[in-house]
Amino acid sequence: QALRERGCRSEEQFREVLREIEAEVQRRKELIHKSEERRAIISKCYKPKHPEVYTLQDSFLAPEFLEIVRFCTSPGADLQGLLSHLESFSDKRIYRLPVFTEEFCQAFVDELENFEQSDVPKGRPNTMNNYGVLLNELGMDEPFLTPLRERLLPLTALLYPELGGACLDSHRAFVVKYSLHQDLDLSSHYDNAEVTLNVSLGKEFTEGNLYFGDFSQDPSPVPRYIEVEHVGGRGLLHRGGQIHGALPIASGERWNLIVWMRSSAIRNHLCPMCRRKPQLVEAEGFGDGFTGPLGEEEEEKEPQTVDLCAL
């Protein structure tokens, strides 16, 4: 029925679509294995230009960001107090805040360009972005991204409590690149995440605002969109299910750090992509952020997020 609603009529059309679906299922099954192969090669063969950027340091973080974290971890911190430290956009629960210093952004982008110019194998960030870097393949998960996610927990706990903001226990992180002769924009989508952090790292560019529509589970007959400008070193926090996209840049080049933050306590009950009880298969690393069925004793332990939703 779903295929008929999307224009399939003949048997040949159905067979062609099924072939495409089967090929995509097989591709996804091979993703993690191929990623691990690339990571091993990168670890052995790639020499970082700025090895210091691989481990998160307070000096990389904007002083305003550190002040916001201090407020959120202070006695009596509440949502209204936090909102006074953030820029808010409409009623869509989208917030902008300083994250990194300009010096760190420059060094990080320089490192990413150095990696891009190397001859080691590289994976694409996702099916929509053709240019960028998978940061787990660079070995940045544990030394950089996990501490960054943990720094954000006091904020997300206040901003998104119903999405597991206090227990975002895994992530998928990548950098995307937009330029005139590569990817210009990004069409409407929502993320495989409970909460997303999107930080503009630079470089010089014009236009290319982000736009946000409805929450994926609450579509309206006439969607209402807002545009939000990207500012270097600053990040946007939004719900992963918020429909959004990127308008075309008009000149220059832009790099963005995207961190999909996930809560196994939420997604163990309902996959955010297929909207069903997840049927899990084993995966390496963080997988898709599920932890699978747990006994009472296991629920009290630190979750091991290594499973993927088979659907």
Side-chain angles (χ1 to χ4, degrees):
Q1 181 63 32
L3 294 178
R4 288 191 181 93
E5 290 174 355
R6 287 162 175 78
C8 277
R9 295 291 182 268
S10 68
E11 285 300 315
E12 180 55 36
Q13 287 176 325
F14 277 106
R15 285 195 293 270
E16 179 60 28
V17 171
L18 288 175
R19 283 194 291 268
E20 291 179 10
I21 292 172
E22 289 168 356
E24 177 62 15
V25 168
Q26 186 59 35
R27 185 191 71 83
R28 294 188 181 200
K29 287 181 177 179
E30 295 173 354
L31 277 178
I32 293 177
H33 176 66
K34 290 184 176 180
S35 182
E36 286 299 307
E37 288 181 343
R38 288 192 298 268
R39 180 175 177 175
I41 295 171
I42 291 167
S43 175
K44 181 179 179 180
C45 301
Y46 175 67
K47 182 178 180 180
K49 183 176 181 180
H50 297 285
E52 70 279 2
V53 304
Y54 286 69
T55 302
L56 185 67
Q57 303 174 35
D58 278 1
S59 60
F60 299 166
L61 299 168
E64 300 93 332
F65 177 86
L66 296 172
E67 179 56 37
I68 292 170
V69 173
R70 278 193 290 270
F71 168 78
C72 290
T73 54
S74 65
D78 60 10
L79 177 60
Q80 289 306 312
L82 171 57
L83 293 180
S84 69
H85 291 80
L86 307 176
E87 293 180 77
S88 300
F89 297 93
S90 77
D91 58 351
K92 297 182 184 293
R93 300 171 71 188
I94 303 161
Y95 308 101
R96 182 161 63 197
L97 71 161
V99 179
F100 298 123
T101 65
E102 181 179 352
E103 293 75 17
F104 168 76
C105 289
Q106 290 175 349
F108 191 27
V109 170
D110 194 38
E111 174 62 33
L112 294 168
E113 289 180 322
N114 186 68
F115 174 73
E116 190 179 49
Q117 293 162 10
S118 70
D119 57 4
V120 295
K122 305 168 185 70
R124 59 192 288 193
N126 51 63
T127 57
M128 300 180 73
N129 294 104
N130 296 296
Y131 300 92
V133 179
L134 291 165
L135 295 180
N136 67 307
E137 294 184 5
L138 271 181
M140 295 189 72
D141 262 350
E142 290 308 314
F144 188 98
L145 293 158
T146 293
L148 178 62
R149 168 169 49 81
E150 291 172 346
R151 287 293 189 93
L152 288 163
L153 285 177
L155 285 72
T156 55
L158 292 172
L159 295 172
Y160 309 107
E162 81 288 2
L163 296 174
C167 51
L168 298 170
D169 50 10
S170 70
H171 59 263
R172 172 180 169 82
F174 49 92
V175 173
V176 295
K177 176 186 175 185
Y178 299 94
S179 67
L180 292 181
H181 302 295
Q182 297 178 343
D183 286 339
L184 279 176
D185 55 11
L186 186 61
S187 59
S188 294
H189 65 284
Y190 60 93
D191 300 336
N192 185 357
E194 275 62 68
V195 180
T196 294
L197 174 68
N198 183 333
V199 186
S200 177
L201 301 172
K203 306 163 75 173
E204 295 294 327
F205 60 91
T206 58
E207 303 296 337
N209 288 350
L210 298 186
Y211 62 89
F212 293 87
D214 297 331
F215 192 68
S216 61
Q217 298 308 307
D218 304 305
S220 60
V222 182
R224 180 169 54 91
Y225 290 92
I226 64 167
E227 286 188 33
V228 180
E229 181 183 4
H230 246 322
V231 181
R234 293 179 178 261
L236 292 169
L237 278 171
H238 63 83
R239 295 173 293 176
Q242 194 82 46
I243 295 172
H244 60 286
L247 295 171
I249 63 170
S251 65
E253 185 175 293
R254 186 176 81 205
W255 293 76
N256 286 66
L257 168 65
I258 313 294
V259 186
W260 290 350
M261 295 181 285
R262 295 153 167 178
S263 170
S264 60
I266 299 295
R267 58 182 47 218
N268 280 354
H269 300 287
L270 186 70
C271 174
M273 305 307 286
C274 67
R275 306 303 299 173
R276 301 179 188 176
K277 177 74 175 178
Q279 298 178 16
L280 302 179
V281 295
E282 291 186 2
E284 298 293 331
F286 284 133
D288 272 352
F290 303 92
T291 56
L294 300 175
E296 291 183 4
E297 294 182 2
E298 289 176 299
E299 286 181 346
E300 299 177 0
K301 300 177 182 178
E302 185 72 17
Q304 299 298 312
T305 48
V306 296
D307 291 316
L308 294 166
C309 179
L311 299 175

